[in-house]
Amino acid sequence: MKELIVELPGKDYPIYIEKGLFGRLGKEISKIYKGKKVAVVTDENIAAEYGRDVEADLLSSGFLVKLVIIKPGEKSKSLEVYAEVCDKLLEFGITKGDLIVAFGGGVTGDLAGFVASTLLRGITYVQVPTSLLAQVDSSVGGKVAIDHPRGKNLIGSFYHPRAVFIDPEILKTLDSRFLNDGMAEVIKYACIRSPELFEKLSEMEVEKDPLNGLEDIIYTCCKIKSGIVQRDEKDAGERMVLNFGHTLGHAIEKYYGFEKYSHGEAVAIGMYAITLKTEEEGITKAGTAASIKRLLTKYSLPFKIEGMDKPGLLEAIALDKKSDGDDLNIVVLSEIGDGYLKKIKKEEILRYL
């Protein structure tokens, strides 16, 4: 088993990564939680595939279990669904001393984590991410949130899990589109902090076995993120480099109603668009955008879209969380492996499209 410790003032927590870990989830949870009630928040797709197994496993470990099932997709990160989940948990009789398990992809993790951070002013929770995107990114770092009609993740908090349990084997049931969706976040990590990972991704033979080597890749991404989070827990500086491609990506998701492009696909477009422009401006080393494009293409990720209404996109960006008055912090590369923050005027973002 691979293990990382996220070290934060007054709160450290482990990240466990191992193939087959899901099969003994109840046993692992019982090592860190001595209470009785466990509420598992998951979506319909994950519940259909794994719901009975996870419930039986937790029951066999002596827990009282409640499955709270939401609809899959970004639209479940809403105030309405948040209220529904809270109501079901209160009906279960959950207390501050009980445990919530966020069992699913990024949407489930964000929603369940936000519920945990707010219900009864805070309930302990663990992350059990089931998508590659969640395993390498959203389950680590304590950012939990729901969306607002004006933008993505606008209502949220920093609330770290008690532990993160990652089983790469669970990715076998993922549709190839959503495996590639997670690879966009992996590519992000390579772009901002690891030329070695970028080279490894370029050399991998994904056609033969797309899951080969993923355990090491997940560990590398979690190590990069945990290091950054330890230095900047509350997103005041360095942590914002984790948003490479996300300013445009989130705006693209919202512009298309969270239906046309997945999160990873939108971020992929954002990474390439920003880098293409900064390379033209001499900020980024020549050839970097082409290298990113080749890697995105290898993993069947888009890199460009045509015909967007730029004023409409600017409106979607207006409430970006990285805004600072009339300014916007965007993440740019000097070269592969070296990402940093650049402050621009909000209206300037249109030059990067």
Side-chain angles (χ1 to χ4, degrees):
M1 180 188 292
K2 295 180 183 295
E3 180 179 347
L4 288 165
I5 301 295
V6 182
E7 299 178 356
L8 298 167
K11 181 176 178 63
D12 296 349
Y13 64 91
I15 303 169
Y16 301 110
I17 307 168
E18 185 182 24
K19 290 181 179 179
L21 184 59
F22 173 68
R24 59 176 198 277
L25 183 61
K27 181 179 178 181
E28 294 299 325
I29 286 177
S30 66
K31 293 177 182 178
I32 62 170
Y33 169 61
K34 302 306 178 184
K36 283 296 180 184
K37 286 187 176 180
V38 176
V40 180
V41 181
T42 190
D43 71 32
E44 292 172 350
N45 293 338
I46 299 299
E49 187 78 30
Y50 299 109
R52 289 184 179 178
D53 291 340
V54 73
E55 185 175 24
D57 181 54
L58 290 169
L59 287 170
S60 69
S61 295
F63 297 117
L64 299 174
V65 184
K66 169 74 171 179
L67 290 185
V68 179
I69 302 171
I70 63 172
K71 291 188 179 299
E74 189 72 25
K75 291 183 179 180
S76 282
K77 282 174 58 175
S78 67
L79 284 165
E80 291 77 15
V81 176
Y82 164 80
E84 290 171 8
V85 172
C86 288
D87 186 59
K88 290 177 181 177
L89 292 177
L90 292 170
E91 185 180 272
F92 179 49
I94 200 164
T95 70
K96 287 180 68 68
D98 296 324
L99 182 73
I100 294 173
V101 176
F103 181 48
V107 167
T108 298
D110 282 359
L111 172 66
F114 184 62
V115 168
S117 75
T118 52
L119 188 61
L120 305 180
R121 295 194 175 99
I123 298 172
T124 300
Y125 81 112
V126 298
Q127 290 272 12
V128 185
T130 61
S131 70
L132 179 58
L133 188 151
Q135 290 185 354
V136 301
D137 192 69
S138 61
S139 66
V140 177
K143 277 188 178 181
V144 294
I146 57 176
D147 300 335
H148 185 276
R150 291 182 178 272
K152 185 170 178 173
N153 295 333
L154 293 183
I155 304 170
S157 58
F158 291 93
Y159 194 69
H160 296 277
R162 174 65 182 81
V164 182
F165 300 99
I166 297 175
D167 184 352
E169 285 287 332
I170 213 165
L171 301 177
K172 285 183 176 180
T173 59
L174 272 187
D175 180 272
S176 60
R177 180 188 178 191
F178 294 103
L179 189 62
N180 291 332
D181 182 61
M183 287 306 300
E185 291 286 355
V186 174
I187 292 167
K188 175 200 75 177
Y189 281 106
C191 285
I192 62 171
R193 286 293 181 266
S194 181
E196 298 82 10
L197 178 57
F198 196 93
E199 183 176 355
K200 181 176 183 176
L201 295 173
S202 300
E203 294 174 350
M204 283 174 60
E205 297 181 7
V206 293
E207 297 83 3
K208 292 182 179 180
D209 183 4
L211 298 182
N212 184 42
L214 269 187
E215 191 169 357
D216 288 335
I217 287 171
I218 292 166
Y219 177 85
T220 298
C221 293
C222 288
K223 187 174 182 179
I224 292 170
K225 183 165 188 179
S226 62
I228 291 173
V229 169
Q230 286 168 176
R231 293 187 293 272
D232 177 23
E233 180 187 358
K234 296 296 178 68
D235 218 12
E238 183 188 2
R239 184 166 178 169
M240 284 192 278
V241 300
L242 295 170
N243 291 310
F244 179 51
H246 285 59
T247 297
L248 288 177
H250 284 171
I252 289 167
E253 285 182 272
K254 182 176 183 295
Y255 182 88
Y256 287 104
F258 300 102
E259 293 179 350
K260 183 172 182 179
Y261 294 101
S262 67
H263 174 71
E265 290 167 346
V267 167
I269 294 166
M271 289 190 292
Y272 178 70
I274 289 287
T275 306
L276 192 64
K277 187 61 180 178
T278 56
E279 190 175 315
E280 290 174 2
E281 294 177 344
I283 294 170
T284 303
K285 183 179 178 181
T288 302
S291 295
I292 292 173
K293 178 181 175 181
R294 283 194 295 272
L295 201 51
L296 294 176
T297 301
K298 177 178 181 178
Y299 291 97
S300 302
L301 289 161
F303 56 88
K304 197 172 184 179
I305 51 177
E306 302 288 349
M308 287 192 67
D309 171 27
K310 291 187 178 181
L313 193 61
L314 184 60
E315 182 180 345
I317 291 171
L319 285 175
D320 189 278
K321 299 181 301 303
K322 296 171 289 301
S323 295
D324 180 13
D326 292 330
D327 298 323
L328 185 67
N329 290 303
I330 63 170
V331 184
V332 300
L333 306 179
S334 59
E335 60 182 340
I336 295 295
D338 185 12
Y340 65 96
L341 294 175
K342 176 180 171 61
K343 185 169 286 190
I344 64 172
K345 295 296 180 184
K346 283 183 182 177
E347 60 271 16
E348 289 183 70
I349 194 67
L350 296 180
R351 298 193 296 110
Y352 293 84
L353 303 176

